Amino acid sequence: DTKDFLIIIIDDDFSSSDPLVVKLKEIYNDVQVLLPEEALIYIRENLNHPMIILLDINMPHHLDGHQVLEEIRNRSYLIPVIIFTAVQEEEETFSDFINNKASGFISKDESSQNIIALVNKIALEAQNNIDNALEDWIEKQPDDVKNKPFMLASDGKTYSLNQLLTEIRLQTEIGQSMSGKILKLSIDLLSRGKKEI
């Protein structure tokens, strides 16, 4: 359910009583307004929850948006990050956000309705990402298949399908590696003209 997404606003000049936050709290169970440093800790401690981040770019006296997004991407590529700013960035600086897989861009001057519409759209899209596709596939497997060893990692440890799903959700090293390999395999198969995987 999209209401279970954690919504994290990373901004050094934003209030928890802002009308946007109040409206988001009517839709989502957990909305946090955090400074960059505390946000990175909060994200790291909540990787097992789906989340969407609204990230300001210009935060004097703190990590800037580019640094924060890079830190988030060092942890996970599955967390949607919306660049949320009043600053008009030059085209070259936006390419950095695009390269680090920003999910969207919106001005703080936009109406709360438009900002919430973008958050809702990205929440729906995020439900369809790779871990959800894997979860659906794993759920269709018989219990004996889900719990028996399925994959042998390079470190010699074996993983069941259920354990792999947990690793992918937590974005551990093995989880990130598995997500990347599945994505590469999917692209490879699709580029060869396969319609089904």
Side-chain angles (χ1 to χ4, degrees):
D1 195 346
T2 55
K3 72 180 182 350
D4 294 327
F5 274 80
L6 303 176
I7 306 300
I8 304 166
I9 299 171
I10 304 176
D11 197 316
D12 65 340
D13 189 29
F14 210 77
S15 164
S16 295
S17 59
D18 187 275
L20 173 64
V21 177
V22 172
K23 289 177 183 173
L24 282 167
K25 285 182 175 178
E26 293 171 6
I27 302 168
Y28 295 93
N29 294 335
D30 192 350
V31 180
Q32 302 285 328
V33 179
L34 301 169
L35 293 172
E37 295 79 7
E38 60 189 8
L40 290 171
I41 294 167
Y42 185 81
I43 291 164
R44 190 167 47 246
E45 292 174 350
N46 288 281
L47 281 172
N48 57 333
H49 296 285
M51 64 182 77
I52 295 173
I53 295 167
L54 287 161
L55 174 62
D56 188 18
I57 293 173
N58 189 10
M59 296 178 278
H61 314 301
H62 296 280
L63 295 171
D64 72 16
H66 297 274
Q67 294 166 309
V68 173
L69 182 56
E70 192 174 329
E71 285 290 321
I72 292 167
R73 289 298 168 246
N74 286 339
R75 285 265 160 211
S76 175
Y77 273 92
L78 298 178
I79 300 170
V81 178
I82 300 168
I83 305 306
F84 176 64
T85 186
V87 175
Q88 291 302 313
E89 290 274 307
E90 295 174 17
E91 203 171 310
E92 311 88 73
T93 58
F94 269 120
S95 68
D96 174 49
F97 289 120
I98 292 165
N99 291 339
N100 274 313
K101 311 273 189 282
S103 300
F105 299 86
I106 197 155
S107 169
K108 287 182 178 179
D109 297 334
E110 281 285 342
S111 68
S112 292
Q113 182 180 356
N114 286 349
I115 294 167
I116 290 169
L118 179 60
V119 171
N120 292 343
K121 175 181 175 276
I122 288 175
L124 284 170
E125 289 171 358
Q127 283 187 317
N128 297 320
N129 68 21
I130 196 164
D131 59 306
N132 289 324
L134 268 177
E135 183 174 6
D136 290 345
W137 180 77
I138 289 171
E139 285 303 314
K140 292 176 184 169
Q141 305 308 308
D143 285 338
D144 61 322
V145 172
K146 286 189 244 183
N147 293 313
K148 71 180 182 185
F150 179 77
M151 185 189 92
L152 179 65
S154 56
D155 64 2
K157 185 175 178 188
T158 59
Y159 291 87
S160 69
L161 288 175
N162 282 335
Q163 289 169 322
L164 278 176
L165 184 59
T166 299
E167 298 293 321
I168 288 168
R169 282 183 177 157
L170 294 177
Q171 281 290 282
T172 62
E173 190 175 333
I174 189 78
Q176 288 179 349
S177 172
M178 186 68 175
S179 293
K181 287 176 182 173
I182 290 168
L183 191 55
K184 284 178 187 168
L185 174 63
S186 300
I187 291 166
D188 184 49
L189 289 172
L190 290 170
S191 68
R192 291 186 202 179
K194 303 271 186 188
K195 299 297 184 231
E196 292 182 19
I197 297 174

